[in-house]
Amino acid sequence: MSATPTNVMDPTARFLAACRRQPVDRPPVWIMRQAGRYMPTYRALRERASFLEICQRPALSCEATMMPIDQLGLDAAILFSDILVPLIPLGLDVQFDEGGPQIRPPVRTAADVARLEHIDLEAALGQVDYVFEAVALIKKTLAGRVPLLGFSGAPWTLATYAVEGSVGRNKHALRRMAYDAPDALHALLGRLADLVAGFLARQIAAGAQAVQIFDTWGGLLSVVDWQVFSAPYTRRVVEAIKPLGVPIIHYALDASHLVSAIAELPCDVLSVDHRESLATIRARTGGRFALQGNVEQGVLTASPAAIARAVEACLADYGAEPGHIVNLGHGITPDATVEAAQCFVRTAQAAGARLWQEGQARGAAQ
Ligand code: CP3
């Protein structure tokens, strides 16, 4: 049996082609939260610096970003930072405690939002210049090995944290604001949309070759409410950065019910969790988007055989058509292992190349 060549294309060309649903040698693979506590080297870095310090010091952010690239052989790098960082220029105090992030003071009333109205967002983004410096440093360090992704939270998901002040379980502060003070919530979302657009534009200017917008909490909403509270603001972001020409990936968690609505956004790639089959999503969106995902992240705590089966099933689900980026359905968890992540990446690369060659051979025989 001949060895399967898994690296025919340049990694950047492969990733960008997959985003644009153009033919590739195999689907690229990366992992959400690919640098994190499941890695001994990341835990060692956390002995030296807090999570926020890593985000705020470009050399450390770069070091963390490179860890999974060096250890796993991934096909894309993602800036090491957090979706909550852009809340800092709004004058909010963001801390990462044992129990998850804490944002103070929470933004809940019209008066709270009015305080944000006076902020010059362009100037305020200067407070997080370390993010753009990290992008530039990582880009230089990567030296073209793999493409670099930037990211931001979607306005709705950032509002969730700004209003809740933490990752509350039932999110009633947020829901109450939507019911009792919708104008204030809309004003907050408008500010966040302008902030996120500027934040992503600067990452792109610094060298990000694609961007992912995380609407992690979009799935909390009904279709009607998502259209009211999330879609218009993410649309504003996407339309602002679209002319910059890099692929835009939209991620939502637990959002199968939103797929048709999300498909009205002018983005390039839909990143989806494990709950719905990729074939079904592709059919429901008329094949107009590349799809990223969607192996259930818990499999990375299971055996290599189970990981290989899950990856093969994901590849078969999408099929040998252009426009698949292999990823998990949500971030890798701290109880996964580096060996499991390696197995995920290697299987995706080898099985992906095989699938493509078989697909081409079938095409040639027809
Ligand atoms: O994907 C990547 O590798 C890039 C880095 C990245 C992180 N968070 C690092 C991180 C990205 C893209 C995120 C996104 C993020 N952050 C989201 C959206 C996607 C998702 O996973 O749902 C959200 C909702 C957050 C907010 C956040 N940050 C939470 C709820 C937590 C606590 C939970 C946890 O895993 O600790 C964080 C902290 C965080 N962000 C860590 C990392 C590596 C752990 C920090 C540590 O070292 O203690």
Side-chain angles (χ1 to χ4, degrees):
M1 199 177 86
S2 66
T4 306
T6 56
N7 290 307
V8 179
M9 284 179 84
D10 166 73
T12 301
R14 177 192 296 120
F15 190 86
L16 298 179
C19 289
R20 301 194 168 112
R21 288 176 293 123
Q22 294 160 356
V24 286
D25 54 349
R26 61 171 176 78
V29 52
W30 68 281
I31 299 176
M32 285 188 277
R33 298 253 184 128
Q34 58 195 19
R37 282 164 300 186
Y38 75 99
M39 301 185 120
T41 50
Y42 177 78
R43 293 198 297 272
L45 176 60
R46 286 280 280 103
E47 296 282 312
R48 291 195 275 135
S50 71
F51 173 64
L52 209 50
E53 278 166 350
I54 303 173
C55 296
Q56 294 181 331
R57 289 168 54 189
L60 298 186
S61 167
C62 179
E63 191 178 331
T65 303
M66 293 305 295
M67 285 176 186
I69 304 305
D70 293 334
Q71 294 173 38
L72 306 180
L74 293 148
D75 297 318
I78 181 162
L79 162 72
F80 189 87
S81 184
D82 194 78
I83 62 159
L84 302 181
V85 166
L87 295 180
I88 297 170
L90 294 183
L92 303 177
D93 179 53
V94 178
Q95 298 295 334
F96 292 86
D97 300 342
E98 284 300 306
Q102 298 288 331
I103 298 93
R104 291 197 189 86
V107 182
R108 293 186 178 170
T109 64
D112 295 338
V113 179
R115 277 193 286 278
L116 308 180
E117 294 291 350
H118 305 290
I119 297 173
D120 174 347
L121 294 178
E122 278 301 312
L125 278 172
Q127 289 175 40
V128 290
D129 264 338
Y130 47 77
V131 172
F132 318 120
E133 286 166 22
V135 170
L137 179 62
I138 297 161
K139 187 79 178 294
K140 195 166 138 230
T141 307
L142 282 168
R145 270 169 70 189
V146 292
L148 174 59
L149 278 64
F151 70 88
S152 174
W156 167 257
T157 289
L158 288 177
T160 307
Y161 286 96
V163 174
E164 287 288 320
S166 62
V167 208
R169 206 162 53 88
N170 56 27
K171 309 212 169 34
H172 280 179
L174 178 70
R175 291 183 194 273
R176 209 161 44 240
M177 193 168 173
Y179 289 119
D180 284 340
D183 293 347
L185 183 53
H186 280 293
L188 172 62
L189 288 162
R191 291 260 78 191
L192 289 168
D194 293 339
L195 178 75
V196 168
F199 186 61
L200 287 174
R202 287 190 191 204
Q203 291 182 42
I204 295 165
Q209 289 152 295
V211 291
Q212 179 151 330
I213 300 174
F214 288 92
D215 195 4
T216 302
W217 300 122
L220 290 176
L221 295 169
S222 67
V223 179
V224 170
D225 283 346
W226 189 82
Q227 303 271 27
V228 171
F229 292 108
S230 189
Y233 302 100
T234 295
R235 175 176 287 277
R236 202 195 293 181
V237 172
V238 174
E239 285 176 352
I241 61 170
K242 192 90 185 159
L244 303 177
V246 307
I248 302 169
I249 307 169
H250 182 277
Y251 174 77
L253 174 69
D254 209 350
S256 315
H257 61 298
L258 298 177
V259 163
S260 303
I262 292 170
E264 288 171 26
L265 291 172
C267 16
D268 304 282
V269 184
L270 304 185
S271 187
V272 297
D273 74 15
H274 66 282
R275 290 177 175 82
E276 187 66 273
S277 122
L278 296 178
T280 304
I281 293 173
R282 196 141 60 108
R284 277 169 59 193
T285 53
R288 287 181 295 116
F289 296 87
L291 298 183
Q292 178 174 279
N294 67 347
V295 175
E296 195 274 312
Q297 61 280 359
V299 81
L300 294 190
T301 65
S303 62
I307 295 168
R309 276 197 303 274
V311 171
E312 299 252 9
C314 174
L315 286 163
D317 179 16
Y318 191 89
E321 294 289 321
H324 187 198
I325 299 166
V326 180
N327 205 317
L328 300 175
H330 196 193
I332 186 169
T333 53
D335 56 345
T337 62
V338 172
E339 292 70 30
Q342 282 166 340
C343 174
F344 175 80
V345 173
R346 285 194 196 125
T347 310
Q349 291 174 342
R354 207 180 57 231
L355 184 80
W356 271 83
Q357 282 163 1
E358 285 165 6
Q360 282 191 325
R362 260 201 311 279
Q366 273 165 15

